[in-house]
Amino acid sequence: GRRGIFTAVKESVSLLGGILLSLGLGALVDFYRARADAGDNAAMPTYYLLCAIALLFLTLLHTMTLLVSREDPPAGEHLSPAAALREAFRNRNLLKVIGVGALWSAASSLSFGHLTAYLQAELGFATQILTVTVFTVVASLCRMAFSPLLGKLADRISFARCMALCFGVAGGASSAGGL
């Protein structure tokens, strides 16, 4: 199939959107931090409010795309939304992917704050968020470069094996980096 290639393209579009959002929010936080340093007490609360509004908008936009997207059901199979949801939660492979995805997302979210502090305190990078955001952009560009290759690999050897390989490499690199 071509599911891996489709997912790679979707991932690349998502990463590009994330890069633009990260750069924009990085520049915005630096701007509001400078205003706060100049004595504007409302600067950072304004920034957090703008971020909350942006996240709400993006969440609503994402939800809308899910609601209007229709996948053609396999021939002869017409399930109600409730039945399709029940069927999805019976799929052990899907539950494993959701669980691993949730753990990976939580680990990424928890480590991002540490990464920022590490880059600033230990490696001496500038304290501006925009500088740290550049590292995130570089990582996203690397993911964009490898996504089509991994998509082709997943189409050839299966998504589960490709995912196991990627997590094994990521875990090995993390372990080796800690030595």
Side-chain angles (χ1 to χ4, degrees):
R2 297 188 41 87
R3 180 177 282 182
I5 296 297
F6 170 79
T7 303
V9 170
K10 179 184 72 74
E11 175 83 3
S12 295
V13 169
S14 175
L15 286 168
L16 183 60
I19 287 170
L20 295 175
L21 182 67
S22 293
L23 287 173
L25 289 178
L28 199 61
V29 74
D30 287 342
F31 170 77
Y32 278 102
R33 184 182 287 166
R35 285 186 53 186
D37 290 345
D40 183 356
N41 292 332
M44 290 313 289
T46 302
Y47 167 74
Y48 293 128
L49 178 63
L50 290 174
C51 284
I53 291 169
L55 289 174
L56 176 64
F57 172 76
L58 291 172
T59 301
L60 292 174
L61 184 64
H62 181 343
T63 303
M64 291 286 292
T65 60
L66 290 174
L67 292 175
V68 298
S69 297
R70 299 277 185 241
E71 185 176 337
D72 294 334
E77 188 177 331
H78 298 285
L79 297 175
S80 70
L85 188 60
R86 280 192 304 273
E87 188 68 29
F89 280 109
R90 288 186 189 125
N91 184 335
R92 295 181 61 93
N93 289 331
L94 176 63
L95 293 176
K96 288 176 188 176
V97 169
I98 290 171
V100 168
L103 288 173
W104 184 264
S105 180
S108 296
S109 297
L110 291 172
S111 65
F112 185 74
H114 172 73
L115 173 65
T116 304
Y118 177 74
L119 288 172
Q120 290 174 352
E122 300 297 325
L123 299 182
F125 286 99
T127 58
Q128 281 134 347
I129 297 297
L130 187 57
T131 304
V132 175
T133 301
V134 169
F135 285 96
T136 306
V137 168
V138 170
S140 295
L141 290 173
C142 290
R143 282 180 59 189
M144 286 175 69
F146 282 97
S147 284
L149 299 171
L150 293 172
K152 287 179 183 178
L153 181 64
D155 284 340
R156 197 167 347 141
I157 66 169
S158 87
F159 177 75
R161 286 184 179 155
C162 187
M163 193 165 112
L165 174 69
C166 290
F167 280 116
V169 169
S174 297
S175 297
L179 295 177

